[in-house]
Amino acid sequence: MTKILVVEDEVAYRDPLTFRLEQDGFTVMVAEDGLEAVRMCDESGLDIDLVLLDLMLPGMSGTEVCRHLVEHHPRMGVIMVTAKDDEIDTIVGLELGADDYVTKPYSYRELLARMRSVLRRRAVAAEPQTLEALDDRDILEVGTLVMDMDAHELRVGQSVVDLPLREFELLQYLMENAGRALTRAQILDRVWGFDFEGDPKTLDVHIKRLRSRIEEDPANPERIQTVRGVGYKLAGA
Ligand code: CA
């Protein structure tokens, strides 16, 4: 089992994240502040593979924790979690040596994708079934739509279609559930994150853009269908 340490003082982020990671088969440990995080990482028996490290923590800051981990636990992966884009610039500027960075609010899917690539890069001693479960998700195929998650690439028939991250994640979710009607709430929750508080119309805007890229006639979509009063459905193969 891949062991993840979630370092987060805000319970509103910590609990849903922990829940979903556990659902996806990770062993999850939690530290509520920087000192606790360092203590857990230093403990030899825990064998943590990846640390999701919030930047703003009470007491010892995320940057200090990151420095400690890079120096003392080079085998552990570190993904920094920040509240603002400009904090990322700060972290990058500090050259802390974290493997990756995400900004709150992040979508769970995006985080999972980053975690996966960090874990791969580091070739942690995860149990084979965990990596296999992750590998299973690498290529999605629905009719002539082929999505390669590793390359972050979508092919429609013979042509490669460029998709911004959010549209990519949206289509990915639809493809994973091809033939099934998904409610607006389900889609917003999965693609925009459990903490999405923006305008729900965002979804329609993204659907429209997605249609313009993958439908032959976007005005009469055949792939992404509107299910009235419910949400959307990707036509099955
Ligand atoms: Ca925090």
Side-chain angles (χ1 to χ4, degrees), residues 40-99:
M40 289 174 80
C41 291
D42 288 350
E43 218 168 289
S44 57
L46 290 183
D47 296 326
I48 291 160
D49 297 303
L50 178 67
V51 182
L52 299 178
L53 181 58
D54 187 36
L55 181 67
M56 301 299 285
L57 293 165
M60 191 176 182
S61 75
T63 54
E64 288 171 273
V65 176
C66 187
R67 281 210 181 91
H68 177 88
L69 297 186
V70 168
E71 190 180 337
H72 297 279
H73 305 287
R75 204 188 59 84
M76 280 181 206
V78 181
I79 296 180
M80 298 291 294
V81 181
T82 72
K84 298 189 219 90
D85 277 326
D86 53 341
E87 287 180 352
I88 288 193
D89 296 341
T90 310
I91 302 175
V92 173
L94 290 173
E95 293 177 354
L96 287 174
D99 294 279

Side-chain angles (χ1 to χ4, degrees), residues 7-10 13 32 54-58 81 83 104:
V7 188
E8 173 63 78
D9 57 316
E10 284 163 83
Y13 272 97
E32 295 181 19
D54 187 36
L55 181 67
M56 301 299 285
L57 293 165
V81 181
K104 292 177 182 175

Side-chain angles (χ1 to χ4, degrees), residues 179-184 211 224-234:
R180 216 188 297 169
L182 297 167
T183 67
R184 303 174 57 81
R211 279 173 171 159
I224 302 176
Q225 300 165 355
T226 303
V227 184
R228 287 187 66 183
V230 180
Y232 295 100
K233 174 174 92 175
L234 186 76

Side-chain angles (χ1 to χ4, degrees), residues 14 19 58 76 147 174 198 229:
R14 199 171 60 220
F19 177 75
M76 280 181 206
M147 184 174 265
L174 290 169

Side-chain angles (χ1 to χ4, degrees), residues 116 137-141 144-165 167-169 171-172 175 214:
R116 206 176 61 186
R137 300 154 89 133
D138 285 352
I139 303 272
L140 277 175
E141 250 184 285
T144 54
L145 298 177
V146 180
M147 184 174 265
D148 180 335
M149 251 72 75
D150 272 347
H152 214 269
E153 184 180 280
L154 173 74
R155 272 181 292 129
V156 183
Q158 298 301 313
S159 37
V160 175
V161 176
D162 267 336
L163 288 181
L165 182 63
E167 281 165 54
F168 190 91
E169 292 178 340
L171 184 60
Q172 181 183 343
M175 287 177 76
I214 70 166

